[in-house]
Amino acid sequence: MKLYNLKDHNEQVSFAQAIKQGLGKKQGLFFPLELPEFELTEIDHLLELDFVTRSARILSTFIGDEIPEETLLKRVKAAFEFPAPVVKVEDDISTLELFHGPTLAFKDFGGRFMAQMLTEVSGDEPVTILTATSGDTGAAVAHAFYGLKNVRVVILYPRGKISPLQEKLFCTLGGNIHTVAIDGDFDACQALVKQSFDDEELKRELSLNSANSINISRLLAQICYYFEAVAQLPQHDRNQLVVSVPSGNFGDLTAGLLAKSLGLPIKRFIAATNANDTVPRYLAQGQWLPSATVATLSNAMDVSQPNNWPRVEELFRRKIWQLKELGFGAVSDETTKETMHELAAKGYISEPHAAIAYRLLRDQLKEGEFGLFLGTAHPAKFKESVEEILGQPLVLPNELAVRANLPLLSHNMGADFAGLRSFLLGLPK
Ligand SMILES: *Cc1c(COP(=O)(O)O)cnc(C)c1O
């Protein structure tokens, strides 16, 4: 698979390079040079396969020239160990629940596949993943790499500034996962990571990699669950399908659009945001005017400069699609709360991110269409706010309940680079 840098089309790399490097020159994103397409009969056949076999087949159309399909099958099987069920919410609307993985959010799919691919292309060469987290991504990265050979993971987080439940989720693993509680805020943790990557000796010695969220392997993985959703729908609901995607950095929407470009029958998408509405305003008025990020109930979508948006635009350009065909909208916290109540009254307990996608889907769905919204996180992940809004207690899913009783294994450290450096160099090989 060849990919080019969106900021400099002359920079072309292989899939292996793209996932090791993350970004190209000038911080440019990588984008596939070829956009494969399945014939209609192939799509029908794919939809009859099981999730893992089908996913390996889809991924193989992109990266089969670098990684054989049998290897992909093994890797996908290890990455996608949990289901993505479609659950009916009302007659013409269902949700795709993407939160049955170890960290209860859709990021498990991309994170786990990225971990599998990074270890695959690194071979026997040991690598060290170093990352800072304010909570969620750290958990997904830790679980994704847990127990994999030749890889060590070091995660820095601000001590006392993440929720106790979040801390339990990734600081109780041990093994190849090293967690470090820093006396400082998230910015201090990020600064330490940056300093480490600027230290050429350290970088070389440890083969540092950041495994961050713009990695192309994540997007490829996420294509697979759009196929899985359609495969679960009855035939008559597949023809007029509208998919609503709760969006922050727009990775999930990019993956959905790539699924459509492969030939998956999706009539249109809705890009759903919270008050951080740079994209909806851009689509309505044609001007890109990011404003300061505001904190909302759906905090994983508190992004005002979505870093995957250039990929969305490139795909529309390449496919000669019209941006005006993309549905959009922004939902306030007030409406999000009302919508969570509305869904609860229908018997579906939701959380703020999915509720936003449902709201716009319900409002924009036309007669004869069938709607699907993505459930990006388990309600228990936002336990405090969901319980407060709905006024009823939530049961912790097993994964979380089990971890909540385990001891924390984190090291404590000051926000001091020299200390971190010697810690990193002293880690067991
Ligand atoms: C990350 C995240 C989103 C936003 O996804 P993007 O791909 O960044 O648009 C939505 N909901 C939840 C729960 C998330 O964790």
Side-chain angles (χ1 to χ4, degrees), residues 13-270:
V13 296
S14 65
F15 174 68
Q17 277 171 292
I19 61 174
K20 283 199 242 181
Q21 233 175 286
L23 286 167
K25 288 178 205 143
K26 295 188 254 167
Q27 309 284 305
L29 299 166
F30 289 120
F31 194 86
L33 193 60
E34 305 283 342
L35 291 172
E37 266 180 63
F38 293 112
E39 305 275 338
L40 258 168
T41 50
E42 287 176 298
I43 296 278
D44 286 341
H45 174 64
L46 278 173
L47 292 175
E48 280 168 15
L49 301 175
D50 66 90
F51 184 30
V52 168
T53 312
R54 181 195 317 114
S55 300
R57 185 86 34 102
I58 293 166
L59 292 161
S60 186
T61 64
F62 286 99
I63 53 183
D65 60 332
E66 288 182 55
I67 301 172
E69 194 170 324
E70 311 89 79
T71 312
L72 275 173
L73 191 62
K74 269 187 274 172
R75 294 291 187 172
V76 171
K77 199 168 182 174
F80 298 176
E81 282 179 318
F82 39 87
V86 169
V87 174
K88 200 173 183 63
V89 174
E90 50 197 314
D91 277 348
D92 57 350
I93 290 185
S94 289
T95 181
L96 174 64
E97 292 188 345
L98 297 170
F99 48 72
H100 296 286
T103 73
L104 310 178
F106 80 93
K107 293 191 173 74
D108 281 328
F109 285 97
R112 290 172 71 85
F113 182 66
M114 172 175 64
Q116 292 292 331
M117 290 297 97
L118 263 176
T119 47
E120 175 67 30
V121 303
S122 305
D124 293 332
E125 200 185 311
V127 290
T128 306
I129 308 294
L130 177 65
T131 183
T133 185
S134 54
D136 269 359
T137 48
V141 167
H143 282 265
F145 286 94
Y146 180 56
L148 294 186
K149 264 193 286 186
N150 290 324
V151 50
R152 293 178 302 192
V153 176
V154 180
I155 301 172
L156 311 185
Y157 65 97
R159 185 168 167 185
K161 294 197 172 71
I162 69 176
S163 89
L165 212 53
Q166 264 178 337
E167 190 175 21
K168 288 282 189 179
L169 200 49
F170 70 103
C171 302
T172 55
L173 290 166
N176 62 332
I177 309 300
H178 307 272
T179 52
V180 184
I182 298 288
D183 287 320
D185 57 12
F186 174 60
D187 290 327
C189 298
Q190 258 189 324
L192 287 169
V193 169
K194 193 165 177 303
Q195 262 182 301
S196 307
F197 277 90
D198 286 342
D199 183 326
E200 289 302 327
E201 191 201 333
L202 197 63
K203 205 165 135 186
R204 210 178 36 246
E205 196 69 22
L206 299 171
S207 296
L208 284 184
N209 189 301
S210 69
N212 70 18
S213 68
I214 43 70
N215 201 290
I216 190 74
S217 58
R218 288 181 182 250
L219 292 188
L220 297 184
Q222 289 171 240
I223 293 172
C224 301
Y225 53 65
Y226 286 91
F227 278 79
E228 174 63 8
V230 175
Q232 288 176 51
L233 292 177
Q235 198 67 41
H236 58 87
D237 293 335
R238 290 183 189 176
N239 301 325
Q240 298 279 315
L241 182 60
V242 180
V243 180
S244 182
V245 185
S247 297
N249 269 320
F250 283 79
D252 223 351
L253 183 72
T254 309
L257 290 162
L258 282 168
K260 182 178 162 85
S261 84
L262 280 164
L264 188 68
I266 295 175
K267 188 178 171 191
R268 66 191 155 88
F269 285 90
I270 298 174

